Structures are given as C-alpha cells and as structure tokens.
Amino acid sequence: MMLVTHRGPYRFSLLEDSTFGASRGSGGIVSALLPLVRGNGYHEGDERQAWVAAAIDDGDRAAVAAGAVHVPGLDLHLLDLDPALHRMHYDVVSNAVLWFLHHGLFDLPRRPRFDDAFRAAWDGYVAVNAAFAGVIAEAAGPSEPVLVHDYHLALVPGMVREKRPDLRVAHFTHTPFCGPNSIRVLPTDIALDLCASMSTVPCGFHTSRWARAYEASAAEMRGPGASATPSFAAPLGPDPEALAELSASDATARAAAELEELVGDRKLLLRSDRIDLSKNIVRGFLAYDHLLAEHPEWRGRVVFVAMLNRSRESLVDYLAYEREVEQAAAQVNAERGTSDWQPIVVDTRDDYEQTIAGFARYDVLLVNPVKDGLNLVAKEGPLVNTRDGVLVLSPEAGAYDELREAVLPIHPYDIEQGAAALHTALSMPADERATCAGRLRDLVGLHTPQTWLQELLEHAR
Ligand code: F6P
C-alpha cells in the first residue's frame, strides 16, 4: 500500500550529534493515518507500506539532501520541491484558492482574481502534482494500491493513471467539495482539468453530501454524459485506543489540573480549532455574548475556553482573522467580565495533551464551522469526555450527518439560534445528557482509522 499526502507523517530535524531525528508530523490526515503505519499499532498483513509526501521545511529538505529520510518499516519518500514552486502550489493555489472554494469562503464581489500571477502559480501546482505522480510511478510496486489525499493533489490521479495503468488508485478529499455552481468560479480550463483528473479514479469523501457535490460539479464541467468512476462516502473515526492512552498520560493529568484551577465549579464551554476562517470562531464568541445578554443567569457561571492553534500564517487572510478573533474575545471580556470572572479564555499553546484534558472536562463542546469536511474534534471530544458533555454541532460539518440524533444543531450564521442552542446545552438535565453522550459514543465508535483505511483500499481501482 502507498499513502500519498502533502504533509508527511514525520518531520525531520538535525540533531546536535549531526544525525537526523524524526518527530510526528502535524495535521488531521497525519493523525488519522499514522496509527495505521507499522510500528504504530498496525500489524495486520505483511504488505509493504510506502508513503509519499512533500518536504515541508528546511529540516525535511536537509534530511532529503543527506539521504537521511529513514523510518523503520516504512518506505518514506519526501519530495524536495523548489521552495518558490512549493509556495505557489501550497499557499496560492491549495490554500488561497481551493481551500476557499471548497469551504465557500470567497468574498465574490472582490475575490478571487485570476491574473498572470495566478496562472504562474497554477503552473506551480501542476508541476508539484507531476512531481508526486513521477515518484509514485517510479516507486510503486506492480498493481499496488495507491491512496492519494486531498485538494493539494487533485491532478495526481489522472497523471498516475497515464503513467501506471496497473496501479489500484483512489483519491480521498478531507474537505467539503464546492458544488456545481461554485466550481464555475475557477477558470473553466482549470475546473475541467481538476474534475477530469479526479474522474479517472474512485473519489472518496467523509459524507455522501460532499460526494454528491463533487459528482454534480464534475457533471457540470464535463457534461452529464462524460464517463466518471463512481465516488463514495467513507467517514473517518478517531482511534479509541490512542485517545485512551493519551488521556491516561501524566502530561494530560498535569494539563487537567491546570484547567481545573481555571474553571473551578463553573461550567466549561470548550472549542478546539485551527485558527481558520472556515471554523467560524468569531460568530461562536458572538453567540456566547448574546447568551450572556439574554440569560444573565449564566454570567459568572460559565467559562468559554477557546483552544486555538495558529495556522497558515503566510496568508494575510489568516493573520487578519487571528486579529479579529482576538478582538472579538477581548470585547466580550471587556463588556461582560468582572473582577473575578473572565468570560472567554483564548489559549493558543497548541498542546495536544491540553486539548485532551479539555475534551475530558467540557460540559459543552462548540463546533460551529461554516463548512468542514468532517471535523474530527466533534468525534474525539465525545470519546474522551467524562462528564456527559453536550456537543453543539453545525450541520455544515461532515460529522453532523452521522451524529445528528445525539447533538444539538447550531446554525453557523444565526447568532440568536446559536445563543439559544448554547443555553439549551448548558441547561440540559443530567439524564438527557447521559442518554445523548452514550449514544454519541456509540455512533463515534462505528468508524476507526482501521475501518476507514480498509474501505479506501476496497474502493481503489
Ligand atoms: O482538512 C484537510 C487538511 O489538510 C487536514 O488534514 C489538516 O488538518 C488541515 O487541512 C490543515 O492543513 P495544512 O495545515 O496542511 O494546510
């Protein structure tokens, strides 16, 4: 089996003794796939495991140059891309255009603007996808299953099909897919190239809603009669054993004690997100502010802890959004806070054990994205939680389709409805909370990284 992702499973860095150390890579895909790599809990079968990814930073690039990209049991290939080319592929096309497109984040009267600079960046995207396809074609064994991930690598399926028709390929998108009206925002030739490439292999999504949006987009661009390999839905779930192990660690116990000191006998309203425009963090604060205005009985009795990780800081939109998030929290604190109560605590430490401690302790978990492929927090939180906490979840998160019967919906744009949902969640009687939390754990437990990978392998053609 060969896994293909933009970010690799390990980050390399030069150590003092001039050797290279490998540490766990970041991001949702890596968290999902790493437990499936031999040596990390995956023992079934004897098949070879290979992983192709880009060298992300100077440490990775130095390890490639020194021939030091070695991980026991894994045939790891890191592509040493020209940094300028890589920026065009990652920052300009993948993040500033495809991410915005699939999450509906464009301010259409103003942007995007597809000019010469964008066309040069698109050439970079094509070149990076071709580099990935070249390595796959060279390194894959006969008829080997190849699982290509995400919008960074949407041209890879078509390129690999041409070079190596023997390979069994599937493409899996972890984001939503935009749909037939929005796909037309892209320049027509580019929308066609993306859909034509993906149509050569089975394409998977976390929910049938995104699979349908993809199929409708492809039909819109290529015509209803164009041949396409059917798409499929295969939701990912968290790894219960890995979460249990982390929950029991000393680092999590230390983080839990620190959190306990902060929250005390108040209720904990928690969110845990990358600072990304799709996560809808500001409206979450506004809904909480509205709750405090409409239901003054909650003042001083709740703490909203927002565990937020900085992300994609090379993009101005992300830097500006981070400022907006800070200002929105500061405003609520200034208007509603008292000498012994800070309504919102923003924590940007990016510490996984601290997040796990938050998951265990929350009374209400807020997940209100404007759009999200799945949202793993909505599944990890309920598995770890020990207090029959309530999940308030946006129907625009892919996970909603699986969890809807055991969550409270929150409309991502409706501040009044959001405040009402938070009030209902905070006020829910203990027996109702216990029923929802139990059902939620059962629903989350239906899918694990292992079952998900198995589904992908079964679909690969
Ligand atoms: O949801 C798609 C995804 O690529 C996830 O795997 C990851 O958590 C997130 O987007 C952030 O990606 P990156 O930091 O690599 O841009």
Side-chain angles (χ1 to χ4, degrees):
M1 165 185 74
M2 179 179 268
L3 299 170
V4 186
T5 61
H6 171 250
R7 271 185 200 275
Y10 296 100
R11 297 282 285 272
F12 290 85
S13 49
L14 190 59
L15 305 176
E16 277 180 7
D17 65 359
S18 301
T19 61
F20 282 87
S23 58
R24 179 185 182 279
S26 62
I29 301 183
V30 168
S31 320
L33 291 175
L34 203 56
L36 306 173
V37 168
R38 190 168 289 119
N40 286 299
Y42 181 77
H43 299 297
E44 286 161 42
D46 282 324
E47 79 274 20
R48 167 189 114 87
Q49 290 186 341
W51 196 317
V52 180
I56 295 292
D57 56 17
D58 289 347
D60 281 357
R61 279 189 280 271
V64 176
V69 177
H70 299 302
V71 180
L74 184 66
D75 180 18
L76 179 59
H77 300 258
L78 286 192
L79 276 77
D80 187 3
L81 301 162
D82 170 69
L85 195 73
H86 196 184
R87 266 197 300 280
M88 290 197 255
H89 162 266
Y90 179 65
D91 285 343
V92 183
V93 178
S94 300
N95 288 342
V97 173
L98 297 180
W99 181 272
F100 272 57
L101 177 77
H102 291 315
H103 290 86
L105 300 175
F106 282 133
D107 177 11
L108 282 177
R110 296 181 185 80
R111 285 196 295 162
R113 295 172 189 170
F114 296 121
D115 52 12
D116 292 1
F118 176 76
R119 282 287 168 183
W122 177 252
D123 290 345
Y125 181 87
V126 176
V128 168
N129 275 250
F132 269 83
V135 173
I136 296 165
E138 229 177 85
S143 312
E144 185 165 9
V146 177
L147 307 178
V148 183
H149 292 264
D150 251 342
Y151 54 96
H152 313 94
L153 303 174
L155 295 178
V156 167
M159 292 171 172
V160 168
R161 268 283 185 260
E162 261 191 26
K163 287 175 188 285
R164 287 284 306 273
D166 63 303
L167 295 175
R168 295 195 290 126
V169 185
H171 185 277
F172 196 92
T173 299
H174 294 262
T175 62
F177 203 90
C178 59
N181 294 321
S182 303
I183 191 84
R184 299 175 70 102
V185 170
L186 290 178
T188 307
D189 57 318
I190 290 177
L192 262 170
D193 286 353
L194 291 172
C195 292
S197 164
M198 291 177 71
S199 298
T200 62
V201 301
C203 286
F205 299 85
H206 286 298
T207 163
S208 54
R209 184 174 169 201
W210 312 141
R212 286 196 304 275
Y214 155 70
E215 288 196 354
S217 304
E220 176 72 22
M221 296 315 303
R222 304 179 69 229
S227 69
T229 320
S231 60
F232 63 98
L236 172 66
D239 182 346
E241 284 170 29
L243 286 176
E245 206 172 295
L246 259 169
S247 304
S249 73
D250 292 347
T252 301
R254 281 194 295 277
E258 189 190 318
L259 191 60
E260 208 47 60
E261 192 148 314
L262 174 77
V263 179
D265 56 6
R266 296 184 166 112
K267 287 196 181 265
L268 173 60
L269 167 61
L270 180 77
R271 77 175 303 141
S272 166
D273 286 298
R274 281 189 307 108
I275 302 180
D276 191 294
L277 289 84
S278 66
K279 303 295 181 185
N280 208 18
I281 299 164
V282 172
R283 283 199 197 85
F285 290 156
L286 295 179
Y288 177 62
D289 185 53
H290 200 69
L291 167 84
L292 298 174
E294 292 293 302
H295 293 279
E297 69 272 22
W298 288 118
R299 293 184 197 170
R301 290 177 52 216
V302 186
V303 182
F304 187 168
V305 175
M307 296 182 179
L308 304 176
N309 308 329
R310 297 199 169 91
S311 178
R312 301 180 188 166
E313 291 174 280
S314 48
L315 294 189
V316 289
D317 286 308
Y318 281 70
L319 294 175
Y321 191 60
E322 191 178 331
R323 296 290 89 78
E324 280 178 56
V325 166
E326 280 165 7
Q327 281 163 13
Q331 200 164 336
V332 176
N333 285 337
E335 273 178 25
R336 312 248 176 238
T338 60
S339 56
D340 62 351
W341 174 58
Q342 183 176 327
I344 300 178
V345 176
V346 174
D347 191 328
T348 54
R349 274 181 290 175
D350 195 0
D351 175 334
Y352 197 45
E353 278 82 5
Q354 188 211 10
T355 306
I356 297 289
F359 287 165
R361 173 66 179 79
Y362 71 77
D363 297 288
V364 176
L365 178 63
L366 174 62
V367 181
N368 66 324
V370 294
K371 243 181 197 40
D372 213 330
L374 178 76
N375 199 293
L376 209 49
V377 165
K379 291 187 160 190
E380 290 174 330
L383 267 196
V384 172
N385 188 258
T386 57
R387 296 167 62 91
D388 292 338
V390 181
L391 175 59
V392 179
L393 180 60
S394 163
E396 298 304 314
Y400 185 85
D401 292 347
E402 294 169 73
L403 309 179
R404 60 197 313 154
E405 65 183 86
V407 305
L408 287 179
I410 180 162
H411 193 290
Y413 307 106
D414 185 338
I415 306 296
E416 285 190 15
Q417 188 277 342
L422 292 177
H423 176 64
T424 308
L426 288 163
S427 325
M428 194 181 277
D431 54 344
E432 206 180 317
R433 288 167 68 109
T435 309
C436 283
R439 184 73 190 122
L440 206 42
R441 278 193 294 276
D442 291 345
L443 291 170
V444 169
L446 292 177
H447 304 282
T448 65
Q450 282 80 1
T451 59
W452 174 71
L453 179 71
Q454 207 47 48
E455 280 194 69
L456 264 60
L457 288 171
E458 278 162 18
H459 278 98
R461 294 278 175 280

